[in-house]
Amino acid sequence: MSTENTHAAVEEFKKAVNMSTKALAAWLTTEESKAVGFKTTDRSESVGHRSGKKIVALLGKSQAEFTCGDIAHARKVVGYIHRHLAQRPAGDIANTHWRYSLMNWGHDPQESKS
């Protein structure tokens, strides 16, 4: 993968993820975070929750430290966030599964990028 492609993927990831490492890590410990998302079994961790843990790790890396697998996950995160933002429900989103799911992927639709 070219340096230009890596740079573009990392930049897009950092634009889409608007939660800080600390905020995302704290969110992932909540019952709301653990309750949403697709699970392969009733007791398993959801895909989004597992992704959130990877995102925390990626946020702690410099661009030079991103592996091909990291870039692939960053692109997956960006795709998920963009698709789900397009499905915003009507009304107050504060306590919705839609918002909570996005937060597992590092994006809080009620927050602006800080």
Side-chain angles (χ1 to χ4, degrees):
M1 179 176 304
S2 76
T3 304
E4 186 176 307
N5 287 342
T6 299
H7 178 72
V10 172
E11 286 300 310
E12 189 68 21
F13 169 76
K14 290 186 177 185
K15 285 180 190 173
V17 173
N18 71 350
M19 295 174 75
S20 69
T21 305
K22 184 178 178 180
L24 179 55
W27 164 252
L28 292 171
T29 66
T30 67
E31 289 306 312
E32 293 88 351
S33 170
K34 295 172 186 175
V36 297
F38 174 76
K39 298 177 183 181
T40 55
T41 67
D42 287 341
R43 295 196 180 272
S44 68
E45 181 179 32
S46 74
V47 172
H49 197 269
R50 205 168 31 253
S51 175
K53 290 178 181 176
K54 290 181 185 178
I55 294 165
V56 167
L58 292 180
L59 291 173
K61 290 185 173 189
S62 70
Q63 179 179 315
E65 296 173 305
F66 272 61
T67 65
C68 288
D70 294 339
I71 295 297
H73 192 71
R75 287 188 169 134
K76 182 177 180 179
V77 170
V78 170
Y80 180 91
I81 291 171
H82 286 260
R83 279 190 313 278
H84 282 74
L85 284 174
Q87 300 170 4
R88 183 184 184 106
D92 182 13
I93 62 160
N95 297 308
T96 62
H97 284 226
W98 175 83
R99 177 180 176 229
Y100 295 163
S101 183
L102 273 167
M103 289 174 69
N104 278 352
W105 289 79
H107 184 88
D108 185 348
Q110 290 194 306
E111 298 295 325
S112 59
K113 187 78 173 181
S114 38

